[in-house]
Amino acid sequence: MPRLALYALTVCLLAVAAAVVSFSRGSWLGVVWILLAGLSSNMTWYYVRRAQVEKRRAAQDAQTDHSATC
């Protein structure tokens, strides 16, 4: 998993924990934490997906280069 995806996942988990604490104390600030959790979750999926696409593209390029030299 890419490093940026791990950072975004960490932020997501911390934001969810902060939202739970905020709501349990009766604060509506938890709504902001939920929005941050959603944003960081989307960032996590983006970075994971981008890494998968880059890995596939590199494998295809390597295969194309190998078949061109044979």
Side-chain angles (χ1 to χ4, degrees), residues 10-34:
T10 303
V11 169
C12 180
L13 294 174
L14 290 173
V16 168
V20 168
V21 170
S22 293
F23 283 132
S24 68
R25 291 184 178 181
S27 173
W28 285 97
L29 187 62
V31 173
V32 176
W33 290 114
I34 291 294

Side-chain angles (χ1 to χ4, degrees), residues 8-9 11-12 36-46:
L9 181 61
V11 169
C12 180
L36 182 62
L39 175 68
S40 59
S41 171
N42 288 343
M43 289 173 61
T44 301
W45 284 115
Y46 171 77

Side-chain angles (χ1 to χ4, degrees), residues 1-2 5-6 42-53:
M1 185 178 283
L6 288 174
N42 288 343
M43 289 173 61
T44 301
W45 284 115
Y46 171 77
Y47 288 125
V48 167
R49 181 75 178 134
R50 188 175 79 172
Q52 289 174 347
V53 168

